[in-house]
Coordinates of all heavy atoms in Angstrom, one line a residue:
W240 N 101.1 94.2 243.1 CA 100.9 93.7 244.4 C 99.5 93.2 244.7 O 99.2 92.5 245.7 CB 101.1 94.9 245.4 CG 100.2 96.1 245.2 CD1 100.4 97.1 244.4 CD2 98.9 96.3 245.8 NE1 99.3 98.0 244.5 CE2 98.4 97.5 245.4 CE3 98.1 95.5 246.7 CZ2 97.2 98.0 245.7 CZ3 96.9 96.0 247.1 CH2 96.4 97.2 246.6
L241 N 98.6 93.4 243.7 CA 97.2 93.0 243.8 C 96.8 91.9 242.9 O 96.0 91.0 243.2 CB 96.3 94.2 243.6 CG 94.7 94.0 243.6 CD1 94.3 93.5 245.0 CD2 94.0 95.2 243.3
Y242 N 97.4 92.0 241.6 CA 96.9 91.1 240.6 C 98.0 90.8 239.6 O 98.8 91.6 239.2 CB 95.7 91.9 239.8 CG 95.5 91.4 238.4 CD1 94.6 90.3 238.2 CD2 96.0 92.1 237.3 CE1 94.4 89.9 236.9 CE2 95.8 91.6 236.0 CZ 94.9 90.5 235.8 OH 94.7 90.1 234.6
H243 N 98.0 89.5 239.2 CA 98.8 89.0 238.1 C 97.9 88.2 237.2 O 97.2 87.3 237.7 CB 100.0 88.2 238.6 CG 101.1 89.0 239.2 ND1 102.1 89.6 238.4 CD2 101.4 89.3 240.5 CE1 102.9 90.3 239.2 NE2 102.5 90.1 240.5
F244 N 98.0 88.4 235.9 CA 97.2 87.6 235.0 C 97.5 86.1 235.2 O 96.6 85.2 235.0 CB 97.4 88.0 233.5 CG 96.4 87.4 232.6 CD1 95.3 88.1 232.2 CD2 96.6 86.1 232.0 CE1 94.4 87.6 231.3 CE2 95.7 85.6 231.1 CZ 94.6 86.4 230.8
N245 N 98.7 85.8 235.6 CA 99.1 84.4 235.7 C 98.2 83.7 236.8 O 98.1 82.4 236.8 CB 100.6 84.3 236.1 CG 101.1 82.9 235.9 OD1 101.0 82.3 234.9 ND2 101.7 82.3 237.0
F246 N 97.7 84.4 237.8 CA 96.9 83.8 238.8 C 95.6 83.2 238.2 O 95.0 82.3 238.8 CB 96.4 84.9 239.8 CG 97.5 85.5 240.7 CD1 97.4 86.7 241.3 CD2 98.7 84.8 240.8 CE1 98.4 87.2 242.1 CE2 99.7 85.3 241.6 CZ 99.6 86.5 242.3
L247 N 95.2 83.7 237.0 CA 93.9 83.2 236.4 C 94.1 81.8 236.0 O 93.0 81.2 235.7 CB 93.5 84.1 235.3 CG 93.3 85.6 235.6 CD1 92.7 86.3 234.4 CD2 92.3 85.7 236.8
K248 N 95.3 81.2 236.0 CA 95.4 79.8 235.6 C 94.6 78.9 236.6 O 94.1 77.9 236.3 CB 96.9 79.4 235.7 CG 97.6 79.8 234.4 CD 99.0 79.2 234.4 CE 99.8 79.5 233.2 NZ 101.2 78.9 233.2
Y249 N 94.4 79.4 237.8 CA 93.7 78.6 238.8 C 92.2 78.6 238.6 O 91.5 77.9 239.3 CB 94.1 79.1 240.2 CG 95.5 78.7 240.7 CD1 96.5 79.6 240.6 CD2 95.7 77.4 241.1 CE1 97.8 79.2 241.0 CE2 97.0 77.0 241.4 CZ 98.0 77.9 241.4 OH 99.3 77.4 241.8
L250 N 91.7 79.4 237.6 CA 90.3 79.3 237.2 C 90.1 77.9 236.6 O 88.9 77.4 236.6 CB 90.0 80.4 236.2 CG 89.8 81.8 236.8 CD1 89.5 82.8 235.7 CD2 88.7 81.8 237.9
F251 N 91.1 77.2 236.2 CA 91.0 75.8 235.7 C 90.6 74.9 236.8 O 90.1 73.8 236.6 CB 92.3 75.3 235.1 CG 92.5 75.9 233.7 CD1 93.6 76.8 233.6 CD2 91.7 75.7 232.6 CE1 93.9 77.4 232.3 CE2 92.0 76.2 231.4 CZ 93.1 77.1 231.2
V252 N 90.7 75.3 238.1 CA 90.3 74.6 239.2 C 89.0 75.2 239.8 O 88.1 74.5 240.2 CB 91.4 74.6 240.3 CG1 90.9 73.8 241.6 CG2 92.7 73.9 239.8
V253 N 89.0 76.5 239.9 CA 87.8 77.2 240.6 C 86.5 77.0 239.7 O 85.5 76.8 240.3 CB 88.2 78.7 240.8 CG1 86.9 79.4 241.3 CG2 89.3 78.8 241.8
I254 N 86.6 77.2 238.4 CA 85.4 77.1 237.6 C 84.8 75.7 237.7 O 83.6 75.6 237.9 CB 85.7 77.6 236.2 CG1 85.8 79.1 236.2 CG2 84.6 77.2 235.2 CD1 86.1 79.7 234.8
P255 N 85.6 74.6 237.5 CA 85.0 73.3 237.8 C 84.4 73.2 239.2 O 83.4 72.5 239.4 CB 86.2 72.4 237.6 CG 87.1 73.1 236.6 CD 87.0 74.5 237.0
G256 N 85.0 73.9 240.1 CA 84.5 73.8 241.5 C 83.1 74.4 241.6 O 82.2 74.0 242.3
T257 N 82.8 75.5 240.8 CA 81.5 76.1 240.8 C 80.5 75.1 240.2 O 79.3 75.1 240.6 CB 81.5 77.4 240.0 OG1 81.8 77.2 238.6 CG2 82.5 78.4 240.5
I258 N 80.9 74.3 239.2 CA 80.0 73.3 238.7 C 79.6 72.3 239.7 O 78.5 71.9 239.9 CB 80.6 72.6 237.5 CG1 81.0 73.7 236.4 CG2 79.7 71.6 236.9 CD1 79.8 74.4 235.8
A259 N 80.6 71.9 240.5 CA 80.4 70.9 241.6 C 79.5 71.5 242.6 O 78.6 70.9 243.2 CB 81.7 70.5 242.2
G260 N 79.7 72.8 242.9 CA 78.8 73.5 243.9 C 77.4 73.5 243.4 O 76.4 73.4 244.2
E261 N 77.1 73.7 242.1 CA 75.8 73.7 241.6 C 75.1 72.4 241.7 O 73.9 72.2 242.0 CB 75.8 74.2 240.1 CG 76.1 75.7 240.0 CD 76.0 76.1 238.5 OE1 76.5 75.3 237.7 OE2 75.6 77.2 238.3
Y262 N 75.9 71.3 241.5 CA 75.4 70.0 241.7 C 75.0 69.7 243.1 O 73.9 69.2 243.4 CB 76.5 68.9 241.3 CG 76.9 68.9 239.8 CD1 78.1 68.3 239.4 CD2 76.0 69.4 238.9 CE1 78.4 68.2 238.1 CE2 76.4 69.3 237.5 CZ 77.6 68.7 237.1 OH 77.9 68.7 235.8
L263 N 75.9 70.2 244.1 CA 75.5 70.0 245.5 C 74.3 70.8 245.9 O 73.5 70.3 246.6 CB 76.7 70.4 246.3 CG 78.0 69.5 246.4 CD1 79.0 70.1 247.3 CD2 77.6 68.1 246.8
K264 N 74.2 72.0 245.4 CA 73.1 72.9 245.8 C 71.8 72.3 245.3 O 70.8 72.3 246.0 CB 73.4 74.3 245.2 CG 72.3 75.3 245.6 CD 72.6 76.7 245.0 CE 71.6 77.7 245.4 NZ 71.8 79.0 244.7
E265 N 71.8 71.8 244.1 CA 70.6 71.2 243.5 C 70.2 70.0 244.3 O 69.0 69.7 244.6 CB 70.8 70.9 242.0 CG 69.5 70.2 241.4 CD 69.8 69.8 240.0 OE1 71.0 69.8 239.6 OE2 68.9 69.5 239.3
W266 N 71.2 69.2 244.6 CA 71.0 67.9 245.3 C 70.4 68.2 246.7 O 69.4 67.6 247.1 CB 72.4 67.2 245.4 CG 72.4 66.0 246.3 CD1 71.5 65.0 246.3 CD2 73.4 65.6 247.3 NE1 71.9 64.0 247.2 CE2 73.0 64.4 247.8 CE3 74.5 66.3 247.7 CZ2 73.8 63.8 248.8 CZ3 75.3 65.7 248.7 CH2 74.9 64.4 249.2
I267 N 71.1 69.1 247.5 CA 70.6 69.4 248.8 C 69.2 70.0 248.8 O 68.4 69.7 249.7 CB 71.6 70.3 249.5 CG1 72.9 69.6 249.8 CG2 71.1 70.8 250.8 CD1 74.0 70.5 250.2
G268 N 68.9 70.8 247.8 CA 67.6 71.5 247.8 C 66.5 70.5 247.5 O 65.3 70.7 247.9
N269 N 66.8 69.4 246.8 CA 65.7 68.4 246.4 C 65.8 67.1 247.2 O 64.9 66.2 247.1 CB 65.8 68.1 244.9 CG 65.6 69.3 244.1 OD1 64.8 70.2 244.4 ND2 66.4 69.4 243.0
R270 N 66.8 67.0 248.1 CA 67.0 65.8 248.8 C 65.9 65.5 249.9 O 65.5 66.4 250.6 CB 68.4 65.8 249.5 CG 68.9 64.4 249.9 CD 70.3 64.5 250.5 NE 70.8 63.2 250.7 CZ 71.5 62.8 251.8 NH1 71.7 63.7 252.7 NH2 72.0 61.6 251.9
T271 N 65.6 64.2 250.0 CA 64.6 63.8 251.0 C 65.2 62.8 252.0 O 66.3 62.3 251.7 CB 63.3 63.2 250.3 OG1 63.8 61.9 249.7 CG2 62.7 64.1 249.3
Q272 N 64.5 62.6 253.1 CA 65.0 61.6 254.1 C 65.0 60.2 253.4 O 65.9 59.4 253.7 CB 64.1 61.6 255.3 CG 64.5 60.7 256.4 CD 65.9 61.0 257.0 OE1 66.3 62.2 257.0 NE2 66.7 60.0 257.4
Q273 N 64.1 60.0 252.5 CA 64.0 58.7 251.9 C 65.3 58.5 251.0 O 65.8 57.3 250.9 CB 62.8 58.6 251.0 CG 62.6 57.3 250.3 CD 61.3 57.3 249.4 OE1 60.6 58.2 249.4 NE2 61.2 56.2 248.7
D274 N 65.7 59.5 250.4 CA 67.0 59.4 249.6 C 68.1 59.0 250.5 O 68.9 58.1 250.1 CB 67.3 60.7 248.9 CG 66.3 61.1 247.8 OD1 65.7 60.2 247.2 OD2 66.2 62.3 247.5
R275 N 68.2 59.6 251.6 CA 69.3 59.3 252.6 C 69.2 57.8 253.0 O 70.2 57.1 253.0 CB 69.3 60.2 253.8 CG 70.3 59.8 254.9 CD 70.3 60.8 256.0 NE 70.8 62.1 255.6 CZ 70.9 63.1 256.5 NH1 70.5 63.0 257.7 NH2 71.4 64.3 256.1
E276 N 68.0 57.4 253.4 CA 67.9 56.0 253.9 C 68.2 55.0 252.7 O 68.8 54.0 253.0 CB 66.5 55.8 254.4 CG 66.1 56.6 255.7 CD 67.0 56.2 256.8 OE1 67.4 55.0 256.9 OE2 67.4 57.1 257.6
Q277 N 67.7 55.4 251.5 CA 68.0 54.5 250.4 C 69.5 54.4 250.1 O 70.0 53.2 249.9 CB 67.3 55.1 249.2 CG 67.4 54.2 247.9 CD 66.7 54.8 246.7 OE1 66.0 55.8 246.8 NE2 66.8 54.1 245.6
S278 N 70.2 55.5 250.2 CA 71.7 55.4 250.0 C 72.4 54.7 251.1 O 73.3 53.9 250.9 CB 72.2 56.8 249.9 OG 71.7 57.5 248.8
R279 N 71.9 54.9 252.3 CA 72.5 54.3 253.5 C 72.3 52.7 253.4 O 73.2 52.0 253.9 CB 72.0 54.8 254.8 CG 72.7 54.4 256.0 CD 72.1 55.0 257.3 NE 72.2 56.4 257.3 CZ 71.7 57.2 258.2 NH1 71.0 56.7 259.2 NH2 71.9 58.5 258.2
N280 N 71.2 52.3 252.9 CA 70.9 50.9 252.9 C 71.4 50.2 251.7 O 71.3 48.9 251.6 CB 69.4 50.7 253.1 CG 68.9 51.1 254.4 OD1 69.6 51.1 255.4 ND2 67.7 51.6 254.5
S281 N 71.8 50.9 250.7 CA 72.3 50.3 249.4 C 73.6 49.6 249.6 O 74.5 50.1 250.2 CB 72.4 51.4 248.3 OG 72.9 50.9 247.2
R282 N 73.7 48.5 248.9 CA 75.0 47.7 249.0 C 76.0 48.3 248.1 O 77.2 48.0 248.2 CB 74.7 46.3 248.5 CG 73.9 45.4 249.5 CD 73.7 44.0 249.0 NE 72.9 44.1 247.7 CZ 72.7 43.0 247.0 NH1 73.1 41.8 247.4 NH2 71.9 43.1 245.9
L283 N 75.6 49.3 247.3 CA 76.6 49.9 246.3 C 77.3 51.1 247.0 O 78.3 51.5 246.5 CB 75.8 50.4 245.1 CG 75.2 49.3 244.2 CD1 74.5 49.9 243.0 CD2 76.2 48.2 243.8
T284 N 76.7 51.7 248.0 CA 77.3 52.9 248.5 C 78.7 52.8 249.0 O 79.6 53.6 248.7 CB 76.4 53.5 249.6 OG1 75.0 53.7 249.1 CG2 76.9 54.8 250.2
L285 N 79.0 51.8 249.8 CA 80.3 51.6 250.3 C 81.3 51.3 249.2 O 82.4 52.0 249.2 CB 80.3 50.5 251.4 CG 81.7 50.3 252.1 CD1 82.2 51.5 252.8 CD2 81.6 49.1 253.0
P286 N 81.1 50.4 248.2 CA 82.0 50.3 247.1 C 82.2 51.6 246.4 O 83.4 51.8 245.9 CB 81.3 49.2 246.3 CG 80.5 48.4 247.2 CD 80.0 49.4 248.2
I287 N 81.2 52.4 246.2 CA 81.4 53.7 245.5 C 82.3 54.6 246.3 O 83.2 55.2 245.7 CB 80.0 54.3 245.3 CG1 79.2 53.6 244.3 CG2 80.2 55.8 244.9 CD1 77.7 54.0 244.2
L288 N 82.2 54.6 247.6 CA 83.1 55.4 248.4 C 84.5 54.9 248.3 O 85.4 55.7 248.1 CB 82.6 55.3 249.9 CG 83.5 55.8 251.0 CD1 83.8 57.3 250.8 CD2 83.0 55.6 252.4
L289 N 84.7 53.6 248.4 CA 86.0 53.0 248.4 C 86.7 53.2 247.1 O 87.9 53.6 247.0 CB 86.0 51.6 248.8 CG 85.5 51.2 250.2 CD1 85.4 49.7 250.4 CD2 86.4 51.9 251.3
I290 N 86.0 53.1 246.0 CA 86.6 53.2 244.7 C 87.0 54.7 244.4 O 88.0 55.0 243.9 CB 85.7 52.7 243.6 CG1 85.5 51.2 243.7 CG2 86.2 53.0 242.2 CD1 84.5 50.6 242.8
S291 N 86.1 55.6 244.9 CA 86.4 57.0 244.7 C 87.7 57.4 245.4 O 88.5 58.1 244.8 CB 85.2 57.9 245.3 OG 84.0 57.6 244.6
V292 N 87.9 56.9 246.6 CA 89.1 57.2 247.4 C 90.3 56.5 246.7 O 91.4 57.0 246.6 CB 88.9 56.8 248.8 CG1 90.3 56.9 249.6 CG2 87.9 57.6 249.5
G293 N 90.0 55.2 246.2 CA 91.0 54.5 245.6 C 91.6 55.1 244.4 O 92.8 55.0 244.1
I294 N 90.8 55.8 243.6 CA 91.3 56.5 242.4 C 92.2 57.6 242.8 O 93.3 57.8 242.1 CB 90.1 57.1 241.6 CG1 89.2 55.9 241.0 CG2 90.6 58.0 240.5 CD1 87.9 56.4 240.4
V295 N 92.0 58.3 243.8 CA 92.9 59.3 244.3 C 94.2 58.7 244.7 O 95.3 59.2 244.3 CB 92.3 60.1 245.5 CG1 93.2 61.2 246.0 CG2 90.9 60.8 245.1
I296 N 94.2 57.7 245.5 CA 95.4 57.0 246.0 C 96.2 56.5 244.8 O 97.4 56.6 244.7 CB 95.1 55.9 247.0 CG1 94.4 56.5 248.2 CG2 96.3 55.1 247.3 CD1 93.9 55.5 249.2
V297 N 95.5 55.8 243.9 CA 96.2 55.2 242.7 C 97.0 56.3 241.9 O 98.1 56.1 241.5 CB 95.2 54.5 241.8 CG1 95.8 54.2 240.4 CG2 94.8 53.2 242.4
N298 N 96.3 57.4 241.7 CA 97.0 58.5 240.9 C 98.1 59.2 241.7 O 99.1 59.5 241.0 CB 95.9 59.5 240.5 CG 95.2 59.1 239.2 OD1 95.6 59.5 238.1 ND2 94.1 58.4 239.4
L299 N 98.0 59.3 243.0 CA 99.1 59.8 243.7 C 100.3 58.9 243.6 O 101.4 59.4 243.4 CB 98.7 60.0 245.2 CG 97.8 61.2 245.5 CD1 97.4 61.2 247.0 CD2 98.5 62.5 245.2
Y300 N 100.1 57.6 243.8 CA 101.2 56.7 243.7 C 101.7 56.6 242.3 O 103.0 56.7 242.1 CB 100.7 55.3 244.2 CG 101.7 54.2 244.0 CD1 102.8 54.1 245.0 CD2 101.7 53.3 242.9 CE1 103.8 53.1 244.8 CE2 102.7 52.4 242.8 CZ 103.7 52.3 243.7 OH 104.7 51.3 243.6
G301 N 100.9 56.4 241.3 CA 101.3 56.2 240.0 C 102.0 57.4 239.4 O 103.1 57.3 238.7
L302 N 101.5 58.6 239.6 CA 102.1 59.8 239.1 C 103.4 60.1 239.8 O 104.4 60.7 239.2 CB 101.2 61.0 239.1 CG 99.9 60.8 238.2 CD1 99.0 62.0 238.5 CD2 100.4 60.8 236.7
Y303 N 103.5 59.9 241.1 CA 104.7 60.2 241.9 C 105.8 59.2 241.5 O 107.0 59.6 241.3 CB 104.4 60.1 243.4 CG 105.7 60.3 244.2 CD1 106.2 61.6 244.3 CD2 106.3 59.3 244.8 CE1 107.4 61.8 245.0 CE2 107.5 59.5 245.6 CZ 108.0 60.8 245.7 OH 109.1 61.0 246.4
T304 N 105.5 57.9 241.3 CA 106.5 56.9 241.0 C 106.8 56.9 239.5 O 107.6 56.1 239.1 CB 106.1 55.5 241.5 OG1 104.9 55.2 240.9 CG2 106.0 55.5 243.0
R305 N 106.0 57.7 238.7 CA 106.2 57.8 237.3 C 105.8 56.5 236.6 O 106.4 56.2 235.5 CB 107.6 58.3 236.9 CG 108.1 59.5 237.6 CD 107.1 60.7 237.6 NE 106.9 61.2 236.2 CZ 105.8 61.7 235.8 NH1 104.8 61.8 236.6 NH2 105.7 62.2 234.6

Side-chain angles (χ1 to χ4, degrees):
W240 59 270
L241 176 65
Y242 159 82
H243 286 277
F244 193 92
N245 196 54
F246 293 161
L247 298 187
K248 281 186 176 181
Y249 286 102
L250 286 176
F251 288 111
V252 177
V253 173
I254 286 180
T257 65
I258 302 298
E261 289 181 324
Y262 293 161
L263 287 182
K264 186 179 178 183
E265 180 186 11
W266 171 49
I267 291 171
N269 299 324
R270 196 177 189 223
T271 65
Q272 184 62 32
Q273 182 180 356
D274 291 335
R275 174 179 291 181
E276 293 299 327
Q277 183 180 356
S278 299
R279 186 179 297 175
N280 296 327
S281 173
R282 291 179 297 176
L283 298 178
T284 302
L285 183 59
I287 289 170
L288 168 62
L289 295 177
I290 293 174
S291 299
V292 174
I294 293 171
V295 178
I296 295 173
V297 163
N298 276 270
L299 285 175
Y300 176 79
L302 293 173
Y303 177 73
T304 59
R305 310 307 296 150

